[in-house]
Amino acid sequence: MKKVEMHCHILPGIDDGAEDMKQSLQMLHIAMEHEIVGAIVTPHGSARDASRERTEKIRKLCRIFRAKAEQQFDVIFPVFPGQEILYSSDIRRLLDEGKLLTLADTRYVLVEFMPEVPYSTLFAAVRELRMAGYVPILAHVERYHVLREDGRIEELIHDGAKIQINYSSVGGSWYSKTTRWCRKQLEEQNVHFLSTDMHDPLHRSPDTEAAEKWMQKHLEPEYIRMLVHGSAREILEEKRRKKLKSDKGTR
Ligand SMILES: [Fe+2]
């Protein structure tokens, strides 16, 4: 099934993901073999390294990566800039100032937390970002143990959060508590996005196969489509509408 990625570290030399362009293209090759047809790319960002220079660098790397992909594989692989932002109380202001990036220049923000984050921080962060007009997507929620308590993930969704889980956590062993928890969330349709969170060609790779096998057996096809590309396409649709509006404004 075709997939659109919205959480990956495929741009070269900007974070702990791909080391260089050669590795970026290796990752892209594996991603395309798994039918990933486009990506919002999300180098790490935080209040500590936020700057306009960095966001411009990400945009520039997107353009270079797109051109290299076309050269190497003779395909148009759409790439859109974004960031995976480590939450702190400053990030809303830094987003407003353009020193951190939303996903594809929309209202959607991919935000991560330290694994030991208290629930009160998650709750307050969702409220704060929603109040400021952003749509927070909580990255790899399987890492936050406070969310294992019944009712919490539902409460955050009710308050406007979107939920992202990694393919590798879904495709893990049944003996893994994390995998079982992720699968339960999927069965209860508490997840909006599945992503590779790819960092390199081997260890955190663009592999989606095991997760897909499990999903095909246990989930409705319509829900799987939403998880692997529908929700990401909604982000890109918002981008398209925003561009049309601004084009009209400049005419
Ligand atoms: Fe990530």
Side-chain angles (χ1 to χ4, degrees):
M1 185 179 284
K2 286 195 172 35
K3 291 177 264 306
V4 177
E5 181 56 271
M6 48 66 74
H7 178 178
C8 62
H9 303 267
I10 198 168
L11 288 185
I14 188 141
D15 64 0
D16 59 346
E19 278 174 11
D20 51 27
M21 187 57 79
K22 191 174 163 217
Q23 213 175 58
S24 294
L25 293 170
Q26 279 173 352
M27 286 160 73
L28 177 61
H29 182 67
I30 303 170
M32 289 193 303
E33 280 182 344
H34 288 88
E35 293 188 89
I36 293 175
V37 296
I40 303 171
V41 296
T42 53
H44 290 288
S46 69
R48 278 176 58 192
D49 61 15
S51 70
R52 281 198 171 268
E53 290 73 35
R54 186 166 168 84
T55 57
E56 280 315 309
K57 189 175 172 191
I58 292 169
R59 291 182 194 283
K60 190 175 166 200
L61 277 172
C62 281
R63 293 192 290 273
I64 297 171
F65 179 62
R66 230 177 348 231
K68 289 274 178 197
E70 193 176 343
Q71 219 175 50
Q72 174 113 357
F73 302 112
D74 198 22
V75 291
I76 304 284
F77 186 85
V79 181
F80 302 91
Q83 276 187 292
E84 176 184 15
I85 301 170
L86 179 65
Y87 180 77
S88 67
S89 56
D90 308 337
I91 70 163
R92 189 187 54 75
R93 175 181 55 81
L94 294 163
L95 282 162
D96 290 346
E97 292 171 3
K99 292 177 180 167
L100 289 170
L101 290 175
T102 63
L103 297 187
D105 298 311
T106 63
R107 297 169 304 144
Y108 290 84
V109 182
L110 182 65
V111 54
E112 73 167 333
F113 300 81
M114 300 308 280
E116 62 279 6
V117 61
Y119 181 67
S120 55
T121 303
L122 285 170
F123 186 82
V126 169
R127 282 253 156 128
E128 185 202 355
L129 288 166
R130 284 301 287 150
M131 295 278 281
Y134 293 104
V135 182
I137 303 174
L138 308 185
H140 34 57
V141 292
E142 60 270 39
R143 290 194 193 166
Y144 316 131
H145 285 269
V146 289
L147 290 184
R148 304 274 166 111
E149 197 167 297
D150 279 351
R152 284 185 163 174
I153 206 160
E154 289 85 350
E155 185 172 51
L156 295 179
I157 293 170
H158 179 261
D159 262 26
K162 303 285 181 192
I163 303 297
Q164 185 261 308
I165 275 179
N166 289 356
Y167 283 103
S168 56
S169 304
V170 178
S173 155
W174 186 85
Y175 296 104
S176 150
K177 269 190 186 165
T178 296
T179 293
R180 290 210 304 274
W181 183 81
C182 288
R183 291 176 177 179
K184 182 168 175 267
Q185 299 316 309
L186 287 167
E187 283 168 340
E188 292 178 3
Q189 302 205 352
N190 282 340
V191 184
H192 303 90
F193 299 90
L194 283 180
S195 306
T196 62
D197 191 11
M198 59 176 104
H199 278 68
D200 65 60
L202 284 177
H203 300 104
R204 280 202 266 175
S205 85
D207 194 344
T208 59
E209 214 170 300
E212 283 190 84
K213 267 191 190 152
W214 180 85
M215 291 196 293
Q216 275 154 13
K217 270 195 198 151
H218 296 91
L219 304 178
E220 294 290 325
E222 193 50 40
Y223 183 51
I224 302 176
R225 271 194 286 279
M226 189 200 97
L227 291 165
V228 306
H229 68 73
S231 300
R233 282 190 205 275
E234 265 175 39
I235 299 177
L236 298 176
E237 181 55 25
E238 180 177 311
K239 177 184 173 59
R240 196 184 64 83
R241 282 198 305 268
K242 216 173 142 190
K243 186 169 183 309
L244 275 177
K245 219 169 147 188
S246 81
D247 286 352
K248 269 189 195 162
T250 52
R251 252 182 243 152

